[in-house]
Amino acid sequence: MHMYCPECEEKNEDSATTCKNCGYELRSHPSAQPRLLTYAGFWSRLMACIIDAIILSVVDFTIVIFVAVGTTDMDFSYYELYLNSIDWYNLLFSTTDWSAILYSAISIILALFYYAIMESSPSQATFGKQVIGIIVTNQEGKRISFKRAFMRHICKVITGSLFYIGYLTIIFSEKKQGLYDMMVGTVVVYNQ
């Protein structure tokens, strides 16, 4: 009989304690106590999301400045425009059609990698989640892989674009999971 690793989906012998491919711990040591998971609710997750949105907005705005300078005939001597960010956006999006597409693509890729890298890191949380004190884990309370974190964010974008149904399930599900969490087998819990 065989079992499959929940992280890399490699087939392992039933008696294996770690995955032969990625080293993931398949069975806990018998003396280890199970970790009690306290699931993070909608409001704490929303606060973490707002903090992350602010962080990503600052980085995005910086990118807009460089894209505007690189795709228009203006230079940094127009520092007055910096004081009114709306002018930067108007200048960027009114001068070239492809600038808006470029900026949108950069923003999406930046967010995708920000969430995937941070949630699969040893901290298991984005900066916003760290401030609130919550982490992303698999169903057993263990760290998730980059691949799972990457898929989690893609699923979050897709299910969130469908009338925010991916987020509303957090309110009603037993483990306070978003639809995207259910799809990839993750939970958001308080860091203990």
Side-chain angles (χ1 to χ4, degrees), residues 1 10 14 16 20 29 33 77 118 140 144 146 175 186:
M1 185 160 210
E10 178 72 26
D14 192 39
K20 64 182 177 187
H29 190 273
Q33 294 295 320
S77 63
M118 295 298 291
E140 294 81 35
I144 61 173
F146 177 82
K175 294 181 179 179
T186 58

Side-chain angles (χ1 to χ4, degrees), residues 127-159:
F127 293 122
K129 287 181 178 73
Q130 289 176 30
V131 168
I132 301 300
I134 57 181
I135 59 173
V136 179
T137 71
N138 66 10
Q139 299 284 349
E140 294 81 35
K142 298 189 191 249
R143 188 170 122 190
I144 61 173
S145 66
F146 177 82
K147 180 173 110 178
R148 185 174 289 192
F150 193 84
M151 289 307 300
R152 180 179 186 269
H153 190 66
I154 289 174
C155 292
K156 186 189 297 186
V157 170
I158 293 168
T159 61

Side-chain angles (χ1 to χ4, degrees), residues 16-18 25-35 140 142:
T17 56
T18 59
E25 186 178 338
L26 298 172
R27 300 182 195 276
S28 297
H29 190 273
S31 63
Q33 294 295 320
R35 180 176 170 186
E140 294 81 35
K142 298 189 191 249

